[in-house]
Amino acid sequence: MGNGQSCKIVGIGDVCLETELGCKLLLKKVRHVPEIRLNLISTGQLDDEGYSNEFSNGRWKLSKGLLIVARGQKTDTLYRLRARHNSGQINVVEDYPIELWHRRLGHISEKGIQILARKQSLPVKGMYLSTCDHCLAGKQRRVSFVRSRLSRCDHILDLVHTDVCFMSDRSLGGALYFVTFIDDHSRKV
Ligand SMILES: [Zn+2]
């Protein structure tokens, strides 16, 4: 069933699926492999959980007692199951490192992760964040521009700077341009 590639398993947990027939199918000890393109369900494990698999005429039927839980069709060598993933019901057993959550959640602060971990929203390993190069780079400041003119005019309205500015979107009044007047002494606009 696999394609011979070695994929990294990053978590083992339970996943709840809702089949096309509206039945809930709880899969236990699911290996979460982010790189994998197909999700494979072990019929042997379903058997262990008391489900009956029936394969015939290019069709597959899964039942438990008298209840038909799911149906599927054969595609190539696999029998397909169409089901919705109830994402709220994943119970990941393995915790992820705090650095991974930091990057996944848009470089969230250490405190932010700790709050989420306390609410049990995140399966996180470790509470203290190591130095993040991207965050450090983001906090660095540019060298300020050198002032070209150190002195200002002595009195109001001695010198007024003016500029015509273009706007890509029209204003509510329909204008596309506006003019600014900046008094050199007071810097009032
Ligand atoms: Zn960061």
Side-chain angles (χ1 to χ4, degrees), residues 102 107 132 135:
H102 169 72
H107 292 264
C132 171
C135 283

Side-chain angles (χ1 to χ4, degrees), residues 49-177:
E49 293 293 324
Y51 291 95
S52 309
N53 290 286
E54 214 180 292
F55 303 95
S56 64
N57 300 321
R59 288 174 183 277
W60 162 72
K61 194 169 84 181
L62 182 73
S63 51
K64 193 166 195 176
L66 294 171
L67 180 74
I68 300 171
V69 179
R71 277 200 188 105
Q73 290 198 338
K74 192 179 169 197
T75 316
D76 297 324
T77 53
L78 297 171
Y79 290 86
R80 280 189 175 247
L81 162 70
R82 290 166 69 93
R84 212 153 52 94
H85 183 234
N86 281 352
S87 54
Q89 297 192 35
I90 309 171
N91 172 26
V92 179
V93 174
E94 190 171 310
D95 292 346
Y96 299 100
I98 186 167
E99 283 77 17
L100 185 63
W101 282 120
H102 169 72
R103 293 196 299 273
R104 276 182 177 168
L105 300 175
H107 292 264
I108 187 176
S109 68
E110 183 181 274
K111 203 176 163 194
I113 296 179
Q114 287 170 356
I115 289 168
L116 289 171
R118 240 175 279 136
K119 285 182 184 167
Q120 269 151 30
S121 304
L122 285 186
V124 62
K125 197 161 43 184
M127 290 304 265
Y128 300 100
L129 205 54
S130 56
T131 311
C132 171
D133 292 344
H134 304 283
C135 283
L136 280 182
K139 280 178 188 141
Q140 279 172 0
R141 293 172 58 189
R142 284 202 208 176
V143 179
S144 58
F145 291 105
V146 182
R147 278 190 177 197
S148 56
R149 220 164 63 90
L150 294 170
S151 64
R152 286 186 188 174
C153 286
D154 295 333
H155 305 100
I156 285 174
L157 296 179
D158 274 353
L159 176 66
V160 176
H161 305 275
T162 179
D163 204 359
V164 179
C165 308
F166 171 73
M167 300 179 287
S168 53
D169 296 318
R170 281 187 185 275
S171 73
L172 291 176
L176 270 180
Y177 296 88

